[in-house]
Amino acid sequence: QVQLVESGGGLVQAGGSLRLSCSASGRSFSSYALGWFRQTPGKEREFVAAISWIGGKTAYVDPVKGRFTIARDSATLYLQMNSLKPEDTAVYYCAARRHSLEVHTNVLDYDNWGQGTQVTVSS
């Protein structure tokens, strides 16, 4: 198990940008496939973006393609969010899956989760 900590959420106007970060409490993300998910009240947690351990493979849910970019280094996962829309408002969670070379888009594939960070986009 690895403890994940997100940061970077906040309130922004529509059209603005935010960058979310996720760290693994001082540990390296080596060998982990990583992802971002989001959840709004009364709805299931949904996939946003994912990145593989090596090879730089990425995947995005259609509504964020061209606006969000997922990236990683050895110790931090990032989600750059541009051209934000009110419908992007949610709690955003980072997730990690150990020992995988693939990109994972299913919430059930991940066994480590952060506590979430709130993103609110005003119209």
Side-chain angles (χ1 to χ4, degrees):
Q1 292 285 334
V2 61
Q3 192 168 12
L4 305 178
V5 180
E6 302 100 336
S7 61
L11 173 64
V12 64
Q13 289 188 332
S17 297
L18 283 174
R19 189 176 80 157
L20 305 183
S21 299
C22 174
S23 63
S25 56
R27 295 177 56 180
S28 168
F29 274 136
S30 176
S31 83
Y32 284 89
L34 303 173
W36 287 101
F37 291 75
R38 63 188 180 187
Q39 190 171 20
T40 55
K43 293 189 176 181
E44 294 186 352
R45 194 167 296 185
E46 67 170 2
F47 167 72
V48 176
I51 189 166
S52 61
W53 166 25
I54 56 176
K57 291 182 288 186
T58 59
Y60 298 91
V61 68
D62 283 346
V64 310
K65 286 180 179 178
R67 300 189 297 121
F68 291 11
T69 302
I70 189 171
R72 64 184 292 170
D73 58 29
S74 60
T76 308
L77 172 68
Y78 303 97
L79 186 67
Q80 178 66 44
M81 305 186 294
N82 298 329
S83 302
L84 282 161
K85 304 176 181 180
E87 50 263 44
D88 295 318
T89 295
V91 177
Y92 284 71
Y93 298 88
C94 67
R97 176 190 169 103
R98 196 171 182 183
H99 295 320
S100 174
L101 297 175
E102 302 301 321
V103 172
H104 295 276
T105 63
N106 191 324
V107 66
L108 297 177
D109 288 345
Y110 291 90
D111 48 15
N112 296 276
W113 293 87
Q115 82 288 349
T117 185
Q118 176 70 47
V119 171
T120 303
V121 184
S122 63
S123 57

